[in-house]
Amino acid sequence: MDLFDPIDRETLDWLEFGASRVGLNQHYVTDQQALYQQLCDECQWSQPAVFLFGKRHKVPRLNAFYGDSGVEYRYSGLTHRAEGWPASLQMLKTRIDSLLGTRFNTVLLNWYRDGGDTMGYHADDEAVLGPEPTIASISLGAPRRFVMKRRNDPKVKREVMLEGGSLPVMAGRFQHDWLHAVPAARRVREGRINLTFRRVNSPEH
Ligand SMILES: O=C(O)CCC(=O)C(=O)O
Ligand SMILES: [Fe+2]
């Protein structure tokens, strides 16, 4: 299976928002429907619950988590512990690491089963990700809107439609200065999987 388009694979368009940076290649994974199906079938999906204002809520999507064995990632009261890489994700990680010069050690997967599954506004700014984390993300399946707003001036908004096969990269001060979300899309019946590759600093890794 040739997942990578030989023309587009090394190119990212960088959108500069001051010192915040978002890079985008809309066609990074060519055989993206096959990878979508493979990950639906092979990953261990769950729907964890988080506590918001003292109430328990299931997250409105499914999650899976992989990475170097023993690496833990905590956010919103959830702890994910990595137990290694499935072959398909290891291959993708190696490819992205050589494109970006990164050494990702985890990948968080979100499966939006249809347009009703969402991700609320947040920043990936946990201390273990470091002060200016580079986070590479792959979207598979249905196109969905990725919306951004400035933390200190929420009227300032940007958005981009992430196509199946796209590679957005968040870098620089993006997590300090901006929040991002994937809003509901009422007419979307198809699923989407998003993978975010992160480097989690942990004492042993
Ligand atoms: O689904 C997406 O495009 C965004 C995912 C995301 O923001 C995250 O996993 O932190
Ligand atoms: Fe995020």
Side-chain angles (χ1 to χ4, degrees):
M1 186 163 57
D2 181 14
L3 291 175
F4 301 102
D5 181 327
I7 297 164
D8 285 332
R9 67 185 177 185
E10 304 299 358
T11 45
L12 280 175
D13 292 325
W14 287 95
L15 319 171
E16 301 284 340
F17 306 162
S20 300
R21 301 199 306 149
V22 177
L24 183 61
N25 180 334
Q26 287 281 26
H27 310 286
Y28 189 68
V29 180
T30 46
D31 207 353
Q32 58 101 11
Q33 275 300 341
L35 185 57
Y36 174 85
Q37 201 51 53
Q38 188 181 357
L39 296 177
C40 289
D41 297 343
E42 288 182 3
C43 292
Q44 270 185 32
W45 297 101
S46 65
Q47 188 177 16
V50 293
F51 281 90
L52 272 184
F53 307 112
K55 280 185 78 181
R56 190 172 179 275
H57 296 271
K58 288 197 155 183
V59 299
R61 58 194 176 272
L62 303 186
N63 274 166
F65 185 74
Y66 296 95
D68 295 357
S69 280
V71 178
E72 283 189 354
Y73 182 42
R74 295 197 187 91
Y75 65 94
S76 304
L78 289 176
T79 300
H80 291 291
R81 186 181 166 83
E83 302 292 354
W85 294 89
S88 53
L89 295 182
Q90 172 81 65
M91 196 180 84
L92 202 51
K93 173 195 129 53
T94 304
R95 204 61 214 117
I96 295 173
D97 273 346
S98 66
L99 174 67
L100 299 176
T102 42
R103 288 185 303 137
F104 292 122
N105 60 1
T106 62
V107 61
L108 175 66
L109 294 91
N110 284 290
W111 182 1
Y112 304 83
R113 293 158 293 179
D114 60 27
D117 277 357
T118 61
M119 168 91 68
Y121 267 114
H122 69 283
D124 299 292
D125 58 357
E126 293 80 21
V128 290
L129 298 177
E132 294 196 354
T134 296
I135 298 176
S137 149
I138 294 275
S139 290
L140 306 168
R144 292 285 295 264
R145 287 167 62 221
F146 182 81
V147 300
M148 297 158 264
K149 66 179 180 191
R150 270 199 81 92
R151 282 197 196 207
N152 65 4
D153 190 359
K155 293 188 303 298
V156 180
K157 295 188 169 147
R158 298 277 184 280
E159 75 170 75
V160 53
M161 185 65 92
L162 294 180
E163 303 292 335
S166 63
L167 167 68
V169 177
M170 300 176 272
R173 290 190 53 81
F174 185 73
Q175 306 297 341
H176 289 276
D177 295 345
W178 294 77
L179 300 175
H180 58 277
V182 178
R186 257 197 299 142
R187 274 186 282 274
V188 173
R189 302 257 174 273
E190 304 75 39
R192 165 178 184 262
I193 292 177
N194 177 264
L195 299 79
T196 43
F197 291 89
R198 303 156 192 249
R199 178 157 189 92
V200 177
N201 296 311
S202 71
E204 339 60 291
H205 295 90

